[in-house]
Amino acid sequence: MCSKGYKSSFTVTLNNGSQLIGFLFFDSSQQGTFTPEVQRDLLIYSNLIQMAVASELMVIDSLLATTAAARDFADLRDFETGKHLDRMAQFSRLIAREIAEQLDLSDEFVEQLYLFAPLHDIGKIGIPDQILLKPGRLTPEERTVVQEHVAKGVSIIEKVLTEYSLNAVSDTQVLMNIISCHHEYLDGSGYPNGKSGDEIPVEARVITVADIFDALTSIRPYKKPWDVDDAIDELRRMASESKLDSRVVEALAKHRDEAARLVVELADLPEDISA
């Protein structure tokens, strides 16, 4: 008898083709429970469970492939360096892991942030080169055009998800929230919809802080990179003005050394910078 009090057990493997995807454990507090007849019935239920799990995995694989393709498009468009996208993913996961227990975020959610963070600006694919790749600061009119990348990004991802019949996948809502809300501020001063407070989901709050931190600490044709501590001070200032979530900012600050390491290890080379 095991320490849990079980006196008999029946284990079934779950497979997706030739791939082992898990096990089902059936336990009983009585001996001799799993007769051949009972095993036969349990195998029927197990096959149904296996089919459901395999179907879900297929959807997830499709979503991952779609996400990877979208990121490749972003790289090809050359409006952001691949290292920027890598930094965004790393900063976002660093923050999410720190606030996970406090905000009751699952490991799955943390990895979704890591996966989807590089797609936050996918809508910039639709912004004209002469504006998007302009060396130096933008005029107010040009900045208005750039801000349209949020709506364009939502439109692009919605179309992709529809084409691949992925709209109903729960994970995609996190992706949509990141794209649609990563320029919103808690005080309502952000864009495109002026959302505020609880209207802004936590995934967007994380991406916003990660994006601003990366922008400050990265070199641009019109500015030198900020010192990591100065960038964190700026984030704290914005949090004190109720623009950013202070919990998210402090999560990044707590891992200041790791963030600084990523800034150095994933730094853009001079030839990478075009905007």
Side-chain angles (χ1 to χ4, degrees):
M1 183 174 70
C2 75
S3 60
K4 300 294 184 180
Y6 303 132
K7 296 182 179 180
S8 58
S9 180
F10 179 57
T11 302
V12 180
T13 60
L14 299 179
N15 300 287
N16 184 16
S18 61
Q19 179 186 14
L20 175 66
I21 57 177
F23 298 90
L24 280 177
F25 299 98
F26 301 95
D27 300 307
S28 174
S29 59
Q30 299 179 9
Q31 291 183 347
T33 297
F34 301 104
T35 63
E37 292 78 12
V38 171
Q39 291 182 35
R40 180 198 62 202
D41 292 342
L42 289 177
L43 283 173
I44 294 174
Y45 290 118
S46 297
N47 285 334
L48 292 173
I49 294 172
Q50 178 176 276
M51 291 171 60
V53 172
S55 177
E56 180 68 17
L57 287 175
M58 183 174 65
V59 171
I60 292 172
D61 287 343
S62 296
L63 179 60
L64 291 174
T66 302
T67 301
R71 173 167 172 166
D72 287 344
F73 285 136
D75 285 340
L76 290 172
R77 185 62 167 75
D78 198 32
F79 58 81
E80 288 173 328
T81 69
K83 289 181 180 179
H84 164 68
L85 302 182
D86 290 337
R87 291 193 302 268
M88 281 294 301
Q90 294 287 353
F91 293 147
S92 299
R93 183 160 62 179
L94 189 68
I95 294 168
R97 283 176 171 172
E98 178 60 32
I99 63 175
E101 183 175 356
Q102 180 184 4
L103 300 184
D104 195 26
L105 306 178
S106 66
D107 291 342
E108 180 183 15
F109 180 87
V110 172
E111 290 310 303
Q112 287 172 354
L113 271 180
Y114 175 75
L115 174 67
F116 297 143
L119 298 179
H120 65 290
D121 274 342
I122 190 69
K124 286 184 177 178
I125 288 175
I127 304 301
D129 281 351
Q130 63 267 28
I131 295 178
L132 193 62
L133 304 181
K134 177 182 177 181
R137 296 189 178 278
L138 302 176
T139 67
E141 293 77 15
E142 291 169 335
R143 189 166 298 278
T144 297
V145 173
V146 171
Q147 289 179 355
E148 294 173 1
H149 79 274
V150 175
K152 292 180 183 294
V154 170
S155 178
I156 289 169
I157 295 301
E158 282 182 342
K159 184 175 182 178
V160 169
L161 296 178
T162 299
E163 289 290 331
Y164 288 91
S165 301
L166 297 172
N167 306 72
V169 181
S170 59
D171 298 353
T172 60
Q173 188 56 55
V174 174
L175 172 58
M176 295 303 296
N177 288 341
I178 286 172
I179 295 173
S180 64
C181 298
H182 71 279
H183 283 294
E184 302 284 3
Y185 288 152
L186 295 181
D187 65 353
S189 64
Y191 69 87
N193 298 311
K195 292 187 176 182
S196 62
D198 292 338
E199 292 179 313
I200 305 173
V202 64
E203 53 266 35
R205 301 182 189 203
V206 171
I207 298 300
T208 300
V209 169
D211 197 24
I212 294 173
F213 178 75
D214 188 65
L216 292 174
T217 56
S218 298
I219 189 172
R220 293 290 185 270
Y222 53 85
K223 78 170 188 68
K224 295 181 179 179
W226 287 34
D227 178 79
V228 167
D229 293 323
D230 290 339
I232 291 175
D233 286 344
E234 175 65 11
L235 293 173
R236 282 173 166 160
R237 183 192 67 77
M238 296 179 70
S240 71
E241 295 179 349
S242 299
K243 293 184 180 297
L244 304 178
D245 189 325
S246 61
R247 298 169 300 182
V248 176
V249 171
E250 292 308 316
L252 179 64
K254 183 174 181 178
H255 295 277
R256 180 262 179 216
D257 291 345
E258 176 67 8
R261 181 185 67 79
L262 292 169
V263 168
V264 173
E265 291 186 359
L266 298 176
D268 295 310
L269 299 175
E271 57 266 28
D272 294 329
I273 307 303
S274 58

